[in-house]
Amino acid sequence: MQNLTQDIKNHSFKPVYLLYGDEAFLKNSYKNQMRTAISGDDTMNYNYFEGKGLDLNELISLADTMPFFSEKRLIMVEDSGFFKGASDELVAYLPQMPDTTCIIFVESEVDKRSRMFKKVKEIGYAAEMARQDFAQLSRWAGGILAREGKKITGRTMELLLNMTGDDMENIRMELEKLVSFTMGRDVITDEDVEAICTVRVTNKIFDMVTAIVNRQTKKAMDLYEDLLTLKEPPMRIMFLIARQFNQILQVKELMAKGMDKGAIASRIKVPPFVAGKMMPQAKTFTREQILSCVTQCVEAEEAVKTGRLNDRMAVELLITRKF
């Protein structure tokens, strides 16, 4: 991402860019910065495409069109699927594209083995917008608060990120609430965070898995009902349960290698406090039991996909099953 920042600063742009990864906030932020830097308010030399099934001939024709009273023509393409499926014609065209055109691809799904991905890396720049770790999020959130004249301790920041999760857009919204809530005060406290911040779905999933691990079936089912009330789809809940058990398995294997909380957090890319919570869970089960949990999650998903169970019933059976 430093390369993107440098290109924007120097106003020197490569012919093609790819912004991809799980962190939507960063993708949108850099997409907007790039558009402002390249074309500003110019709509005549800016074209936008979204979704699969794009007309390649139209795209190439526009890319070949000289900009009108401007240095660059900018073409923005989102979620095209070009980096998952075959796009040989576009791969062959990109090196021939006039230097007056810049194309920015913003993609949710990318196959790094694809010819398209390799070509963009060769002649342009591919920037992965991954989820940020605890230290990065702390610095970023602390910077936002500092610009608003607010101070926050490391302990309170940990509490905040524990409640918000690692989604940067969600953190940004919670920070705005905190700034408004503490108007007239400089320091943000634990009490402020607990009073105003919304607990993320992933935190409820964590509590649910803890209840499952501790054989607290009623508590796990109550948390499941809470998530359904929040309009959370059962299949997403199942996915998050499976992901949680996968992470517990990784934690257990890393603990067996003698790694401490900090090292484990760094390896599996979660905040240290999250790793610290998963370590007791990992101790509760044997490796084989955790593998069995993961397998049962896969089997539950398969039962839904094949029509043997509806999604809600599948998750209920998964929660009440004896692991």
Side-chain angles (χ1 to χ4, degrees):
M1 287 184 285
Q2 289 181 343
N3 287 4
L4 286 176
T5 303
Q6 199 65 35
D7 287 356
I8 292 169
K9 181 180 178 181
N10 296 336
H11 207 76
S12 175
F13 302 105
K14 298 171 179 62
V16 58
Y17 291 87
L18 167 63
L19 312 181
Y20 70 101
D22 297 329
E23 185 46 76
F25 177 87
L26 285 177
K27 284 193 294 186
N28 285 329
S29 176
Y30 276 103
K31 175 187 74 175
N32 293 333
Q33 288 181 58
M34 293 286 285
R35 179 182 175 183
T36 299
I38 296 171
S39 60
D41 296 328
D42 181 3
T43 57
M44 187 174 296
N45 297 297
Y46 172 73
N47 303 95
Y48 177 79
F49 296 89
E50 183 178 10
K52 297 177 175 63
L54 271 62
D55 186 332
L56 270 181
N57 290 329
E58 181 184 359
L59 180 62
I60 291 172
S61 176
L62 278 169
D64 279 335
T65 303
M66 292 291 291
F68 187 70
F69 291 119
S70 177
E71 291 182 14
K72 290 281 186 184
R73 172 174 296 281
L74 175 62
I75 300 176
M76 190 82 69
V77 182
E78 288 204 55
D79 292 324
S80 64
F82 288 148
F83 294 83
K84 291 288 285 184
S87 52
D88 292 345
E89 186 179 351
L90 192 53
V91 171
Y93 169 74
L94 288 177
Q96 307 169 30
M97 189 171 67
D99 57 11
T100 53
T101 295
C102 176
I103 299 181
I104 299 176
F105 294 98
V106 184
E107 300 290 330
S108 300
E109 296 182 275
V110 163
D111 183 351
K112 294 181 181 180
R113 301 166 299 177
S114 68
R115 292 185 62 210
M116 199 51 190
F117 184 86
K118 292 175 181 176
K119 182 56 67 176
V120 169
K121 282 197 71 176
E122 177 189 334
I123 65 173
Y125 182 63
E128 182 172 10
M129 309 295 178
R131 295 285 189 182
Q132 304 294 285
D133 63 25
F134 176 77
Q136 292 167 322
L137 291 173
S138 294
R139 287 193 296 271
W140 173 72
I144 292 175
L145 291 174
R147 288 193 292 274
E148 296 290 340
K150 302 293 181 181
K151 299 175 183 177
I152 187 170
T153 66
R155 186 188 69 179
T156 303
M157 179 65 79
E158 184 169 313
L159 173 63
L160 170 65
L161 295 180
N162 187 25
M163 293 182 68
T164 62
D166 61 359
D167 183 281
M168 294 177 74
E169 180 60 28
N170 183 63
I171 296 170
R172 184 192 63 78
M173 291 189 294
E174 295 300 319
L175 290 173
E176 287 181 359
K177 288 161 58 177
L178 276 171
V179 168
S180 297
F181 185 72
T182 57
M183 194 71 71
R185 289 191 285 118
D186 295 339
V187 179
I188 291 175
T189 66
D190 289 3
E191 290 73 21
D192 295 327
V193 172
E194 289 170 346
I196 202 67
C197 292
T198 304
V199 177
R200 289 288 281 168
V201 166
T202 47
N203 296 77
K204 287 186 177 290
I205 293 291
F206 191 96
D207 292 340
M208 186 195 302
V209 170
T210 300
I212 293 171
V213 167
N214 294 328
R215 279 80 175 178
Q216 298 171 321
T217 304
K218 184 181 183 307
K219 182 177 179 180
M221 286 299 297
D222 287 344
L223 287 164
Y224 178 48
E225 291 296 331
D226 288 346
L227 289 167
L228 292 176
T229 301
L230 292 171
K231 307 297 183 184
E232 197 64 26
M235 291 304 288
R236 173 168 161 76
I237 296 172
M238 187 186 297
F239 163 77
L240 291 171
I241 292 173
R243 187 180 72 172
Q244 184 73 21
F245 276 119
N246 267 309
Q247 288 182 328
I248 292 171
L249 178 60
Q250 292 178 65
V251 168
K252 187 168 191 69
E253 291 174 342
L254 294 173
M255 286 172 63
K257 295 179 180 179
M259 290 190 180
D260 62 13
K261 180 174 72 174
I264 291 172
S266 177
R267 180 66 67 87
I268 66 173
K269 295 180 172 29
V270 298
F273 61 84
V274 174
K277 284 185 174 183
M278 283 193 281
M279 290 171 78
Q281 292 180 333
K283 290 178 182 177
T284 303
F285 288 145
T286 64
R287 184 177 184 278
E288 289 68 29
Q289 286 175 318
I290 301 174
L291 281 171
S292 174
C293 296
V294 174
T295 300
Q296 290 182 42
C297 289
V298 173
E299 290 174 349
E301 181 181 4
E302 183 65 22
V304 174
K305 288 181 176 179
T306 56
R308 288 183 286 120
L309 288 173
N310 66 50
D311 52 4
R312 182 164 178 166
M313 179 62 71
V315 179
E316 290 176 2
L317 290 174
L318 184 64
I319 292 170
T320 56
R321 190 169 293 175
K322 300 298 181 184
F323 290 108

